[in-house]
Amino acid sequence: MQAPGGKKEDTSGGFKYGGWTASYGDEIFYKDVLKELKKTSDYLLGRKTFEIWEGYWPYHADFWPGINEGMKYVLSKTRKKSNWKNSTFINNIAAIKKIKKSAGPDIQVWGSSKLIQLLLKNDLVDELRLKIYPLTLGKGKKLFDNEAIPATFTLTDNRVTPKGVILANYKRKGNVKTGNIEV
């Protein structure tokens, strides 16, 4: 999930494939993404994603006005403030739980691999909106790690773009059930 949007977006760890999603855009893909961007939302972001975004999105409101209007909660142990409007910094899981319980619009997480792993570990994910691309990159940041709690999700929507990207939306269902497969 590292650096999907551009060659220089996130080269940490020597990552060389920035912009790897560029060749997969098509009408169905963009229609789906624009639908997500038009939702009234607040945003929970990791510090690194926030720092990439704060240099870009405040100046591109014509494409994604909601990102500037929505509240941006940023999980960071080092940052305390930003000039990007509607940005506030939090520093622990208790703050995330408090935000999740509060009234308001849905909270979206974009990028922020370590943050997503933390949310999965603490059973704080209600929905997954996955975009699965037909490629492997080998190295780079991963969405899932070994600390996510065992959980099941129900597929609520899916489609495949002409370029082979699987767009799949899942809602949290419950606990994992085990058994034996019998033939």
Side-chain angles (χ1 to χ4, degrees):
M1 67 180 287
Q2 185 170 352
K7 291 182 179 184
K8 296 179 181 179
E9 185 176 31
D10 180 0
T11 59
S12 63
F15 189 70
K16 299 177 184 178
Y17 302 103
W20 55 270
T21 63
S23 64
Y24 292 98
D26 58 41
E27 186 177 335
I28 291 174
F29 179 84
Y30 290 126
K31 184 178 178 182
D32 191 78
V33 170
L34 287 173
K35 183 178 164 185
E36 287 181 347
L37 298 181
K38 288 182 180 179
K39 288 184 175 188
T40 300
S41 299
D42 286 341
Y43 305 90
L44 178 61
L45 303 168
R47 180 192 52 82
K48 291 177 186 174
T49 298
F50 178 82
E51 288 178 349
I52 292 168
W53 285 20
E54 79 177 317
Y56 183 83
W57 285 116
Y59 313 103
H60 295 86
D62 54 324
F63 184 76
W64 190 7
I67 191 61
N68 289 317
E69 299 310 316
M71 179 58 83
K72 290 158 291 291
Y73 299 100
V74 185
L75 183 64
S76 176
K77 293 180 181 175
T78 58
R79 292 277 307 259
K80 304 279 187 242
K81 63 181 180 170
S82 171
N83 291 329
W84 190 8
K85 74 176 184 176
N86 299 328
S87 297
T88 189
F89 292 83
I90 58 175
N91 62 14
N92 58 48
I93 194 75
I96 295 172
K97 289 178 180 179
K98 184 177 178 182
I99 293 164
K100 188 174 186 307
K101 288 179 183 178
S102 66
D106 286 346
I107 300 168
Q108 295 184 11
V109 178
W110 290 72
S112 307
S113 61
K114 293 292 184 193
L115 172 59
I116 292 171
Q117 291 169 0
L118 179 68
L119 297 173
L120 288 166
K121 178 181 177 179
N122 287 278
D123 198 15
L124 293 171
V125 175
D126 298 326
E127 183 176 7
L128 294 169
R129 294 180 162 269
L130 302 178
K131 293 160 185 65
I132 304 163
Y133 293 80
L135 81 157
T136 58
L137 297 173
K139 294 183 176 184
K141 295 177 181 176
K142 310 294 184 218
L143 176 61
F144 302 105
D145 68 0
N146 291 330
E147 294 190 20
I149 63 150
T152 60
F153 291 80
T154 299
L155 184 67
T156 58
D157 190 19
N158 69 293
R159 61 212 144 282
V160 179
T161 71
K163 293 191 176 181
V165 179
I166 300 169
L167 306 171
N169 300 341
Y170 297 90
K171 291 232 179 203
R172 180 74 160 84
K173 182 178 179 184
N175 297 322
V176 174
K177 295 178 182 170
T178 62
N180 294 315
I181 298 174
E182 304 206 16
V183 261

